[in-house]
């Protein structure tokens, strides 16, 4: 990380061991093995993974009790001759997430707040304000980013200067997401997952929690809500032909609906989903750089289909042999549907307990500056207004500026949020139900 070269690098060694929550050297070794050999995500792997996650707590308690009686310098090389090498690299290196944070006119404040709430020096951020926002807003956001000593040192926050239209009901948001992912692929070779957040989303765990849990999962996992069930309601939404003005007009206008409708595809199976998902780097490379033309064929099909972003990624994933086994049918996003308006309803403080209990990593949607966001900052993220969420890399005195003194970005200090997330993921994987929900033909 760039911040290690900075003059602000702290002298005090971090007090805590990295990843001190549930992993022990033993479980790390198991999981490291799993991850190191780049196994194909098969039934066996997932079962094994589920068991591993499930037994982490048990393993931890065992190893803690044994390590308290032996010097804490790692496993005895004579006792574990083959583990030695693994142990040296065994604290799983934290992964990195590439975020697109996008908004519209009047959203620059929310975008900056969301950036602070999801910030970690290991991640990469691309901020986007669509053309309905004046260019001055984009410049203001870029200026704020530049003048923040942390972002400047880590050099991992970027602002898209040339904006894309993104009409939620059309196909332009899909184009924006692919554009952003391709910029992020060029900006860094180091990230593992792509996450696209609207300005009305907010995290429910710290990045230390999220990176910590993700460090135990295979890097090719995709968290994507999907269903192949297409009843009359779904068909009504999928059959119209639209033309998204964002794709060809320089100023925003109404969506164009053709009077005729078309049949559902028969060359491949359509999967519907939701617009939020957590996508692996290998899958994004497949969509953007792959030699298989299927992602591009689908892109052309979805160009005049409503709400393409919700359906494109699930459809590519589930129709591709390389990826159909990497999908978890849950996007780790908390949201409540308003059946009348066919959209997520705004969350408020009444929903706080439900959000926490869900074990989700993010929630959507929130109204601008809703008091529940302050509650999340206070109770979950420990974030004070205007500053980033403190993590293992922040070594300063607790308070507003604890992250102005920083140490090793790879040191995570997970909080109780990681336990909630772990529980949610263990539950997803533990009893094999995820397999029966994976790209099912209904
Ligand atoms: C994944 O694709 C392969 C080959 O097309 C197929 O045999 C398999 O059933 C698919 N798996 C799922 C879960 O759809
Ligand atoms: C995603 O899927 C999960 C589980 O299948 C469900 O609980 C959740 O409501 C879905 N989210 C959306 C936005 O559809
Ligand atoms: C939160 O929203 C729900 C549903 O819209 C509403 O019933 C409730 O009164 C709201 N609570 C607060 C504190 O605004
Ligand atoms: C943190 O900043 C807020 C305003 O930005 C201020 O009210 C508060 O006193 C500060 N807290 C500490 C511990 O410095
Ligand atoms: C399997 O996990 C799901 C949650 O993903 C849960 O609802 C279900 O009850 C579990 N089934 C068993 C047999 O434990």
């Amino acid at each position: 990380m760039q911040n290690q070269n900075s003059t602000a690098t702290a002298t005090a060694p971090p007090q805590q061991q990295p990843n001190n929550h549930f992993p022990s050297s033993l479980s790390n070794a198991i999981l490291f093995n799993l991850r190191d050999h780049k196994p194909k995500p098969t039934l066996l792997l997932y079962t094994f993974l589920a068991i591993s996650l499930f037994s982490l707590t048990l393993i931890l308690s065992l190893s803690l009790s044994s390590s308290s009686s032996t010097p804490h310098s790692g496993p005895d090389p004579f006792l574990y001759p083959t583990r030695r090498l693994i142990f040296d690299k065994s604290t799983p290196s934290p992964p990195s997430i590439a975020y697109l944070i996008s908004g519209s006119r009047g959203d620059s404040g929310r975008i900056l707040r969301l950036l602070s709430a999801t910030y970690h020096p290991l991640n990469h951020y691309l901020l986007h304000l669509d053309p309905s926002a004046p260019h001055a807003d984009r410049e203001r956001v870029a200026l704020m980013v530049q003048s923040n000593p942390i972002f400047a040192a880590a050099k991992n926050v970027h602002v898209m200067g040339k904006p894309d239209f993104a009409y939620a009901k059309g196909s332009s948001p899909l184009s924006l997401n692919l554009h952003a992912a391709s910029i992020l692929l060029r900006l860094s070779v180091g990230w593992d997952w792509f996450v696209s957040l609207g300005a009305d989303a907010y995290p429910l765990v710290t990045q230390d929690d999220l990176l910590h849990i993700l460090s135990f999962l295979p890097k090719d996992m995709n968290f994507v809500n999907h269903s192949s069930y297409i009843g009359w309601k779904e068909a009504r939404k999928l059959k119209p032909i639209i033309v998204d003005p964002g794709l060809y007009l320089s100023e925003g206008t109404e969506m164009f609906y053709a009077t005729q409708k078309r049949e559902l595809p028969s060359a491949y199976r359509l999967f519907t989903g939701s617009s939020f998902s957590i996508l692996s780097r290998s899958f994004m490379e497949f969509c953007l750089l792959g030699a298989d033309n299927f992602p591009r064929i689908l892109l052309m099909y979805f160009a005049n289909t409503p709400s393409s972003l919700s359906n494109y990624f699930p459809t590519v994933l589930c129709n591709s042999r390389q990826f159909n086994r990497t999908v978890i049918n849950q996007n780790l996003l908390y949201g409540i549907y308003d059946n009348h308006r066919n959209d997520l309803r705004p969350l408020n403080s009444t929903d706080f307990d439900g959000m926490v209990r869900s074990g989700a990593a993010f929630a959507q949607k929130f109204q601008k500056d809703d008091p529940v966001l302050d509650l999340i900052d206070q109770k979950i993220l420990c974030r004070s207004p205007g500053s980033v969420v403190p993590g293992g890399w922040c070594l300063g005195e607790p308070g507003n500026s604890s992250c102005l003194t920083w140490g090793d970005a790879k040191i995570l200090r997970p909080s109780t949020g990681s336990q909630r997330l772990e529980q949610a993921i263990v539950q997803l994987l533990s009893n094999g139900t995820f397999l029966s929900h994976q790209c099912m033909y209904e």
Side-chain angles (χ1 to χ4, degrees):
M1 280 316 296
Q2 285 91 334
N3 67 6
Q4 280 173 304
N5 309 330
S6 156
T7 47
T9 303
T11 47
Q15 256 106 56
Q16 286 178 307
Q17 286 286 319
N19 297 310
N20 60 334
H21 247 258
F22 64 77
S24 65
S25 54
L26 183 55
S27 59
N28 282 341
I30 294 169
L31 286 155
F32 186 84
N33 253 338
L34 257 180
R35 294 161 356 116
D36 201 32
H37 295 154
K38 290 229 157 108
K40 293 203 174 64
T42 57
L43 173 92
L44 187 71
L45 167 68
Y46 283 131
T47 315
F48 184 41
L49 184 80
I51 294 167
S52 308
L53 272 169
F54 208 55
S55 48
L56 281 173
T57 332
L58 180 69
I59 294 167
L60 176 66
S61 53
L62 285 179
S63 74
L64 275 186
S65 52
S66 62
S67 65
S68 55
S69 56
T70 54
H72 197 79
S73 59
D76 186 323
F78 297 103
L79 198 54
Y80 301 103
T82 55
R83 292 244 169 97
R84 182 69 208 168
L85 190 90
I86 295 166
F87 182 76
D88 283 336
K89 304 191 279 174
S90 72
T91 29
S93 179
S96 158
I97 301 174
Y99 283 101
L100 163 67
I101 301 180
S102 56
S104 197
R105 187 185 194 88
D107 280 340
S108 46
R110 290 164 110 186
I111 286 179
L112 288 167
R113 180 173 188 170
L114 187 51
L115 170 66
S116 297
T118 54
Y119 187 76
H120 193 284
L122 289 179
N123 292 340
H124 298 272
Y125 300 83
L126 189 59
L127 312 184
H128 175 260
L129 274 167
D130 75 20
S132 68
H135 197 65
D137 282 10
R138 233 160 273 123
E139 286 175 346
R140 194 175 72 88
V141 167
L143 218 63
M144 298 286 277
V145 168
Q146 258 173 25
S147 60
N148 182 305
I150 300 168
F151 305 158
K155 293 192 173 52
N156 61 346
V157 184
H158 303 265
V159 181
M160 264 166 95
K162 194 164 175 292
D164 292 322
F165 280 103
Y167 298 114
K169 289 194 158 52
S171 44
S172 42
L174 175 55
S175 152
L176 164 64
N177 271 255
L178 292 172
H179 184 197
S182 81
I183 291 175
L184 286 160
L185 281 175
R186 266 158 230 237
L187 280 173
S188 161
V189 292
W191 54 266
D192 305 293
W193 277 282
F194 173 69
V195 173
S196 164
L197 293 172
D200 58 357
Y202 215 66
L204 296 179
V205 293
T206 67
Q207 291 304 292
D208 277 28
D209 295 335
L210 184 57
L211 296 178
H212 174 65
I213 295 301
L214 288 178
S215 69
F216 289 91
L217 299 177
K219 295 220 162 83
D220 51 7
M221 263 189 177
N222 294 287
F223 296 87
V224 179
N225 271 33
H226 60 274
S227 162
S228 71
Y229 174 77
I230 295 177
W232 65 270
K233 252 185 169 167
E234 290 76 16
R236 206 173 61 184
K237 276 189 251 165
L238 289 166
K239 284 181 173 173
I241 301 169
I242 58 126
V243 183
D244 185 330
L247 300 178
Y248 70 108
L249 292 180
S250 56
E251 263 174 50
T253 52
E254 289 292 297
M255 196 72 53
F256 173 84
Y257 285 84
T259 47
Q260 284 188 315
K261 301 201 169 180
R262 69 176 151 192
E263 286 310 301
L264 296 175
S266 61
Y268 39 84
R269 191 171 285 261
L270 267 190
F271 283 80
T272 59
S274 69
S275 55
F276 178 84
S277 44
I278 300 178
L279 301 166
S280 68
R281 184 186 181 103
S282 54
F283 177 63
M284 291 321 291
E285 287 176 345
F286 175 73
C287 290
L288 290 161
L289 312 171
D292 190 328
N293 207 28
F294 184 61
R296 277 171 292 270
I297 290 172
L298 265 193
L299 197 57
M300 301 195 82
Y301 166 74
F302 276 115
N304 36 29
T305 304
S307 309
S308 311
L309 181 59
S310 313
N311 308 329
Y312 176 75
F313 292 121
T315 304
V316 179
L317 276 167
C318 287
N319 284 281
S320 306
R321 190 188 290 256
Q322 306 93 299
F323 292 100
N324 68 0
R325 296 249 173 233
T326 63
V327 197
I328 303 286
N329 198 348
Q330 164 66 267
N331 57 8
L332 304 180
L333 176 87
Y334 184 86
I336 298 179
Y337 254 88
D338 179 345
N339 283 324
H340 299 297
R341 309 216 349 261
N342 224 323
D343 193 10
L344 294 172
R345 77 153 167 82
L347 300 166
N348 58 34
S349 24
T350 317
D351 303 304
F352 182 77
D353 291 334
M355 282 191 266
V356 172
R357 246 183 287 117
S358 73
F362 298 93
Q364 202 174 17
K365 63 190 188 185
F366 295 99
Q367 265 154 354
K368 192 175 183 173
D369 295 326
D370 192 281
V372 71
L373 295 178
D374 299 332
L375 206 60
I376 294 172
D377 277 345
Q378 239 173 54
K379 297 211 167 155
I380 299 181
L381 305 176
C382 299
R383 188 183 84 91
S384 30
S387 27
V388 299
V389 176
W393 55 282
C394 304
L395 301 178
E397 293 291 311
N400 287 351
S401 56
S402 77
C403 296
L404 291 179
T405 312
W406 56 78
D408 189 345
K410 294 211 158 118
I411 292 169
L412 303 179
R413 200 186 302 139
S415 66
T416 51
S418 76
Q419 289 155 20
R420 291 194 302 270
L421 191 59
E422 181 195 351
Q423 229 169 39
I425 290 181
V426 162
Q427 214 183 37
L428 270 174
L429 301 182
S430 63
N431 56 18
T433 46
F434 79 97
L435 278 174
S436 58
H437 291 116
Q438 189 176 56
C439 297
M440 279 294 292
Y441 289 178
E442 290 167 61

